[in-house]
Amino acid sequence: MCQVNEEYHDGLEQAQVPGVSKKCVKCKEASAAVVIRAGDAYCRGCFKEYFIHKFRAMLGKNRIIFPGEKVLLAVSGGPSSCSMLSQVQEGLSQNAHKKLRFLPGIVFIDESGVLGQSLEERQKTVSELQAVFRATGFPFHMVPLEQVLEVPSSVVVTAPSPSDQPASAYKAAVDRFIQRDSSCPTSQEQKERSLPVVQEAHTRLLQQLVGSAKTLTAKQDLLNTLKQHLLVHTARTEGYSKVMLGDNCTRLAVKLLTSISVGRGAQLAQDTGFSDTRYGDIILVRPMREYSAKEIAFYNHMFSVASVFVPSLDTKSTEKASIQRLTESFVTKLQTEFPSTVSTIYRTSEKLQTSCRSSSTAEPSDRCLLCVCAMDTAVEDASAFQATLTSVQLSQVKVPGSCSTKVPGLNQAPVELQAPAPSGQCCSSGGGGGEDCGRAERGGSCCSSTEKPEAIDLKSLLCYSCQLTIKDMSSVECLPQYILSEAKRRQRRSQMREDISEFLLCDGDGDDS
Amino acid sequence: MAAPIAIQLEFGGGAELLFDGLKKHHVTLPTQTEPWDVKQLLVWIQRNLLKERPELFVQGDSVRPGILVLINDADWELMGELDYQLQDHDNVVFISTLHGG
């Protein structure tokens, strides 16, 4: 990349002589309005056709959404998801050439409570979005993120997928649907769920939770995890089997590089692929993944697709505020000089596969408590993961020895929940202030013990990247109850398995509850 | 000498936050010796309209990467980007595609 010098640059610029009168590369008649890829200028009409076709082609090619199926559209208010909504609307309209045949519903998760917005501000955003949703005629659900505090712990458990459907099942389902369709028109009455009243205490708890993470990187990561859990929970309770996410190509390219940087390499395929099966019964789909942010912005502007700007954690933040932000600015900067950057990264993501156990087959107990992906931590001794752990251990050796010194940055303690201790500073609180710590008479390493029955060792239940996120939090006690109780359950389970291990004929037999 | 020209500016996708949350601005660019081009317009915006954090809107001579520019509903790449000479009643749109605006 650094070798591309001025000479190259001249060539590039000469190739695309700017001119207002440039014609569309497709119809060669109308004057061009948007440059999609370098040199490919489309006129308004051709661009619209191209855009609409791409959405249908994406769904048609992947054959994952069955006719008559209930699909939940996750709309954040941003350009991508609003564009997705308009494409679904377009595809379902009577005169559509190849009509889409699923039953859509909309969900909006209001995360503005985390940002400390006032109720009036929140209500304003919500009512703006409600107006957009009402216009579609689809049923919609407005869910405040505070509800994540009340979801059951089954959210983080992978449910068995209904059954593996063979490729022929899709065709059969289409035929069945067409027969049925002629007799009874499928019209959904529009159900409205307005934003339930949010308890102030819940908002505070949520703010506390996100606030307990020190870096913006961890905050965003945590927030995304919670949002995804709430999406899956909403889909399950409302009877949807697919959730459509609005991630576009640019977003996914950023996500890919970010994921690698935060240690989620093993989960890349699930995080960025077209379909994401980690939850089993609910499949997350990303139909917008072939559109670049630019295409979407242009389409929305030209064909007045309404979107509502909702501020997020990283609004107005600087370039280096978080890994996500930095990666985004890296990619977009590179993109202006080298217009194929995003598509190159994105194409790479399509080819990625995980070598460890596939995420769809892993046992529920082998999945990360937070991201619900197959664990990447069960690897052999000579791996980068073990090397990192060793390195962390080595740099912490001095901490337990000198009990009075505080090492805030490297403290490992927050990873575990010490039932009564305030925020895991048990080692440095002098003379075993935390009673747990005193009881556990274990040389220097009381912080990394796994033998205490009442303490939750979250670490063993998390994948590498989620471990890092949790490590960044000052206290895990802020985590929502569903996560903590599921952690306890899993820990009891593994404890039990250990206890009876000598009576087991082979590994994994004693797991029946 | 170029006569003063009236143009409409639009900000979207979160970029409006840097302009008091106002999406549409009708502005008149004053008389100056050379004709107005987009490059000068950016400088003018920075001096007269931008309320905060200029680094989130401009970088160097141009707009921050990730912010799209449309001139009269067409991609500015087709119009010569920074060198486009503004006409009276032109409509210039800035859309941020960056996460969180």
Side-chain angles (χ1 to χ4, degrees):
Chain A
M1 235 162 270
C2 340
Q3 286 173 342
V4 177
N5 51 25
E6 278 79 4
E7 283 167 56
Y8 253 114
H9 221 259
D10 285 345
L12 270 178
E13 264 164 33
Q14 270 165 17
Q16 22 173 297
V17 183
V20 192
S21 56
K22 204 169 178 187
K23 292 274 178 266
C24 166
V25 292
K26 207 159 175 222
C27 63
K28 300 191 173 64
E29 282 170 14
S31 60
V34 51
V35 181
I36 301 173
R37 291 167 294 258
D40 277 6
Y42 277 58
C43 69
R44 236 179 108 93
C46 292
F47 176 58
K48 187 175 186 182
E49 219 168 85
Y50 153 90
F51 198 91
I52 292 173
H53 171 75
K54 202 142 110 170
F55 190 78
R56 292 220 190 94
M58 193 72 191
L59 292 181
K61 190 173 72 185
N62 287 286
R63 293 196 163 189
I64 213 167
I65 295 176
F66 281 54
E69 195 168 7
K70 280 180 85 182
V71 177
L72 192 60
L73 311 175
V75 180
S76 69
S80 277
S81 52
C82 284
S83 198
M84 175 174 80
L85 179 59
S86 87
Q87 285 308 302
V88 170
Q89 240 183 310
E90 161 78 37
L92 286 166
S93 65
Q94 280 303 317
N95 53 4
H97 169 54
K98 274 186 181 170
K99 210 176 159 204
L100 296 176
R101 298 192 185 89
F102 55 83
L103 304 174
I106 305 170
V107 62
F108 165 70
I109 294 186
D110 174 27
E111 57 176 275
S112 47
V114 178
L115 304 172
Q117 283 198 340
S118 68
L119 270 177
E120 294 86 67
E121 282 174 298
R122 294 182 72 166
Q123 205 54 54
K124 191 173 155 273
T125 317
V126 166
S127 53
E128 264 179 72
L129 276 161
Q130 265 173 338
V132 174
F133 295 165
R134 210 167 281 143
T136 64
F138 303 153
F140 61 86
H141 316 275
M142 313 297 272
V143 186
L145 187 61
E146 279 84 348
Q147 283 194 1
V148 83
L149 298 169
E150 290 158 14
V151 304
S153 55
S154 55
V155 167
V156 281
V157 180
T158 303
S161 59
S163 62
D164 276 329
Q165 281 147 326
S168 58
Y170 182 80
K171 246 186 146 253
V174 173
D175 292 341
R176 239 178 308 148
F177 183 81
I178 291 172
Q179 279 171 2
R180 197 155 33 102
D181 199 28
S182 49
S183 53
C184 62
T186 45
S187 65
Q188 296 185 83
E189 82 278 32
Q190 182 168 22
K191 273 181 283 175
E192 258 184 48
R193 257 353 115 68
S194 58
L195 200 65
V197 182
V198 181
Q199 290 178 26
E200 232 177 282
H202 280 173
T203 310
R204 264 203 306 278
L205 276 177
L206 203 61
Q207 283 172 353
Q208 218 175 9
L209 165 61
V210 175
S212 71
K214 278 181 275 227
T215 59
L216 188 60
T217 307
K219 280 187 180 123
Q220 284 183 318
D221 200 54
L222 205 59
L223 199 60
N224 281 340
T225 309
L226 294 179
K227 263 195 298 195
Q228 205 175 62
H229 290 169
L230 193 52
L231 273 183
V232 170
H233 174 69
T234 313
R236 279 183 182 154
T237 49
E238 304 290 339
Y240 293 91
S241 46
K242 302 271 156 48
V243 177
M244 276 192 183
L245 306 175
D247 292 306
N248 62 44
C249 174
T250 314
R251 206 57 268 118
L252 287 175
V254 172
K255 203 169 167 185
L256 177 94
L257 292 185
T258 308
S259 296
I260 295 173
S261 322
V262 298
R264 292 186 59 77
Q267 294 90 349
L268 272 182
Q270 294 277 306
D271 279 349
T272 59
F274 175 76
S275 70
D276 181 344
T277 52
R278 72 179 80 163
Y279 292 97
D281 55 342
I282 306 287
I283 296 179
L284 308 180
V285 195
R286 301 186 177 90
M288 302 300 283
R289 67 196 297 267
E290 294 235 330
Y291 298 101
S292 71
K294 180 177 176 179
E295 284 168 45
I296 290 171
F298 267 86
Y299 186 88
N300 287 2
H301 179 80
M302 286 178 170
F303 304 102
S304 32
V305 175
S307 62
V308 178
F309 178 75
V310 182
S312 62
L313 272 181
D314 54 0
T315 298
K316 286 196 197 174
S317 62
T318 56
E319 228 174 67
K320 291 178 183 143
S322 67
I323 294 181
Q324 290 92 333
R325 200 67 174 168
L326 187 60
T327 319
E328 183 184 37
S329 91
F330 170 70
V331 172
T332 44
K333 267 185 195 160
L334 213 52
Q335 173 79 9
T336 50
E337 301 270 332
F338 306 95
S340 47
T341 302
V342 165
S343 55
T344 308
I345 302 174
Y346 162 74
R347 298 282 163 218
T348 314
S349 80
E350 278 191 322
K351 297 177 181 72
L352 289 173
Q353 275 181 341
T354 12
S355 65
C356 57
R357 291 153 302 155
S358 93
S359 270
S360 46
T361 54
E363 289 284 312
S365 55
D366 287 340
R367 286 169 184 275
C368 171
L369 185 63
L370 284 181
C371 68
V372 203
C373 280
M375 295 276 254
D376 54 357
T377 50
V379 285
E380 69 268 39
D381 287 345
S383 65
F385 175 66
Q386 296 297 347
T388 315
L389 284 191
T390 315
S391 161
V392 168
Q393 267 164 14
L394 285 177
S395 52
Q396 279 182 334
V397 154
K398 283 189 193 112
V399 183
S402 53
C403 263
S404 51
T405 40
K406 284 192 178 183
V407 186
L410 287 170
N411 205 332
Q412 208 182 7
V415 176
E416 286 151 73
L417 177 67
Q418 310 284 339
S423 66
Q425 286 276 349
C426 69
C427 273
S428 41
S429 58
E435 44 177 315
D436 265 329
C437 199
R439 236 188 299 147
E441 294 162 350
R442 225 164 291 101
S445 62
C446 68
C447 278
S448 52
S449 85
T450 49
E451 288 155 52
K452 277 168 286 170
E454 60 273 74
I456 303 176
D457 174 22
L458 281 177
K459 215 173 151 189
S460 63
L461 304 171
L462 298 173
C463 68
Y464 175 64
S465 165
C466 292
Q467 281 182 23
L468 291 183
T469 303
I470 294 296
K471 198 169 163 182
D472 199 68
M473 292 174 66
S474 55
S475 163
V476 287
E477 282 162 87
C478 302
L479 283 176
Q481 201 50 48
Y482 72 94
I483 293 176
L484 294 180
S485 56
E486 175 66 15
K488 278 184 200 144
R489 197 186 69 85
R490 287 193 195 178
Q491 209 153 37
R492 278 199 302 272
R493 202 44 88 73
S494 68
Q495 183 75 42
M496 194 196 289
R497 186 188 289 187
E498 217 169 275
D499 289 347
I500 59 170
S501 60
E502 47 187 305
F503 306 110
L504 295 178
L505 292 176
C506 62
D507 261 5
D509 260 11
D511 205 25
D512 301 335
S513 49
Chain B
M1 285 287 271
I5 47 173
I7 55 169
Q8 179 174 259
L9 299 174
E10 254 181 80
F11 301 95
E16 69 269 22
L17 289 189
L18 303 171
F19 299 88
D20 268 349
L22 264 179
K23 286 194 169 187
K24 284 191 182 173
H25 297 254
H26 292 274
V27 298
T28 310
L29 302 176
T31 312
Q32 63 166 27
T33 44
E34 308 145 34
W36 281 95
D37 60 17
V38 177
K39 199 172 182 174
Q40 289 160 336
L41 173 70
L42 288 177
V43 177
W44 185 89
I45 289 176
Q46 209 177 336
R47 284 196 192 134
N48 298 285
L49 280 184
L50 202 60
K51 299 292 180 211
E52 51 180 323
R53 315 284 295 277
E55 75 278 8
L56 297 184
F57 186 69
V58 283
Q59 249 165 46
D61 278 348
S62 189
V63 288
R64 178 183 179 200
I67 294 182
L68 302 174
V69 186
L70 286 84
I71 300 168
N72 298 331
D73 274 352
D75 197 337
W76 77 329
E77 286 179 36
L78 294 163
M79 318 286 268
E81 303 197 7
L82 291 171
D83 299 326
Y84 172 77
Q85 293 196 353
L86 291 161
Q87 316 289 324
D88 207 18
H89 303 301
D90 268 355
N91 182 22
V92 185
V93 185
F94 298 89
I95 306 173
S96 170
T97 62
L98 297 163
H99 197 244

